[in-house]
Amino acid sequence: MYYTNSVNTMIDLNLWQPSEDLADDYVRYKHLQEELAVVFTQEAGRPFDLYGVEHVFWFKGGNPYGEAKPLREIEQATPRQVSHPTLDDASTISRLPDSYVPPVIAILTSMARNEPGLEETARASGTSLVRAFEKSIHAAFTVLGFDTKLLGQGSGRVPDGLAIEHDNSYAILWDAKIREDGYSMGTDDRAIRDYVMTQSRELKRRRALRNIYYAIVSSGFKDDHDDLIRSIKMETDTNEVCLMEAAALVAMVDAKLRNPLQVSLGPDGLQRLFSNSGILTGDDVLKTFV
């Protein structure tokens, strides 16, 4: 079965990236499941069929807050054993929460700065910090209301993700850059220009979008970025290049969830934030929607 949880778990583990061809995706998915059944059988010393592989994926993907357990314990697992986070004793809370932002998105600023301990936490969660950062950005664009797709790892020379707004005919190609002291624009600008050129032209051809924006999400930005922005705009079909601090994306989600009817995705709302090239900060977002 083409279970959503199995698909998502295989993507999270960087085993496979689905394309837009569902038939081809299913065949590749099936073959990979068969290969995993052989690997699991060899490692566990007992037979694993396709149902057994799916059960492993259910156990891993369906229990995101519990600790990983050895394979021998999987057979005793049932949906009732899935744990969920609970609020700690009220006596330990210094003030009531005010943010509307889900934890998977609120952590973006800490991830972007590569704060101590997050690498180990990501590994304990069965992923890498880079991939977790990409997934949190993807979650943010999804919550905002975009039609989203994770690209990145396993898909060749492409941006990390895509967010499309069909009603207002625009798309955002985005990359995630974890940096403790800010992203330097000269490190991989040639590669960026190449794949943004390919992807932006493909989007214009296949989806007939009016505007395409390219965004880099990081902790901050340093050095001169004008040359890269200028060259991307000249050499690709990208309208603007947005250097977005992670705090800005978190602020967008907070503003959207607080006032869903007032904060639109169109030119009177979020689109105008992407329509100016240069650095976008959390303060810029707050000034726009306060």
Side-chain angles (χ1 to χ4, degrees):
M1 296 294 291
Y2 197 70
Y3 286 119
T4 300
N5 177 67
S6 293
V7 171
N8 290 340
T9 302
M10 291 164 75
I11 293 172
D12 292 345
L13 296 174
N14 299 327
L15 296 176
W16 167 61
Q17 275 289 341
S19 66
E20 294 185 355
D21 186 332
L22 186 58
D24 182 62
D25 286 344
Y26 179 77
V27 172
R28 293 170 59 206
Y29 167 88
K30 172 75 159 46
H31 289 168
L32 186 53
Q33 290 261 0
E34 291 168 341
E35 292 180 33
L36 289 170
V38 173
V39 173
F40 290 171
T41 297
Q42 293 172 344
E43 292 296 320
R46 62 179 178 82
F48 266 80
D49 56 12
L50 295 181
Y51 176 77
V53 174
E54 184 276 326
H55 197 70
V56 171
F57 285 163
W58 170 85
F59 187 77
K60 182 169 182 59
N63 189 24
Y65 302 109
E67 295 182 359
K69 298 182 179 179
L71 282 176
R72 66 177 177 272
E73 297 184 28
I74 289 177
E75 290 181 343
Q76 285 80 45
T78 70
R80 295 190 187 90
Q81 293 174 280
V82 177
S83 61
H84 297 280
T86 58
L87 193 63
D88 292 332
D89 187 341
S91 63
T92 66
I93 302 175
S94 59
R95 47 187 304 189
L96 294 175
D98 180 58
S99 174
Y100 280 49
V101 182
V104 70
I105 298 170
I107 199 173
L108 272 171
T109 53
S110 298
M111 285 181 170
R113 293 192 297 266
N114 194 15
E115 290 186 357
L118 284 180
E119 285 279 7
E120 292 76 12
T121 302
R123 282 197 293 270
S125 302
T127 187
S128 66
L129 183 59
V130 170
R131 190 57 174 171
F133 187 46
E134 293 171 358
K135 287 185 62 182
S136 290
I137 295 172
H138 173 78
F141 280 114
T142 302
V143 169
L144 288 171
F146 290 95
D147 180 5
T148 57
K149 183 175 182 179
L150 263 177
L151 303 172
Q153 299 180 20
S155 299
R157 293 168 66 88
V158 297
D160 292 325
L162 171 66
I164 301 178
E165 216 298 281
H166 298 284
D167 291 342
N168 294 283
S169 190
Y170 72 89
I172 303 165
L173 292 164
W174 58 266
D175 272 322
K177 304 291 183 182
I178 294 177
R179 297 292 187 278
E180 293 182 25
D181 56 351
Y183 178 65
S184 179
M185 302 304 295
T187 54
D188 47 10
D189 54 349
R190 182 68 260 174
I192 288 175
R193 286 198 297 271
D194 287 346
Y195 63 63
V196 170
M197 178 174 63
T198 302
Q199 293 295 315
S200 60
R201 287 179 179 175
E202 184 71 8
L203 282 171
K204 285 275 190 180
R205 182 182 67 83
R206 294 182 58 189
R207 300 181 183 268
L209 297 168
R210 284 197 303 269
N211 295 290
I212 296 176
Y213 309 113
Y214 174 62
I216 299 176
V217 184
S218 190
S219 58
F221 299 88
K222 59 183 183 179
D223 301 334
D224 182 24
H225 47 73
D226 291 338
D227 288 342
L228 176 60
I229 291 176
R230 189 179 301 110
S231 62
I232 289 177
K233 292 175 67 174
M234 288 191 301
E235 298 176 22
T236 74
D237 288 331
T238 303
N239 298 79
E240 305 292 345
V241 178
C242 181
L243 308 180
M244 184 161 48
E245 294 182 359
L249 188 54
V250 174
M252 288 183 199
V253 172
D254 190 63
K256 179 68 174 176
L257 294 179
R258 287 179 187 274
N259 300 290
L261 299 180
Q262 297 178 20
V263 180
S264 74
L265 299 183
D268 60 336
L270 293 179
Q271 186 178 3
R272 58 178 158 164
L273 295 174
F274 297 102
S275 296
N276 291 305
S277 291
I279 296 176
L280 179 66
T281 68
D283 287 340
D284 294 331
V285 178
L286 292 176
K287 291 175 184 176
T288 302
F289 296 114
V290 170

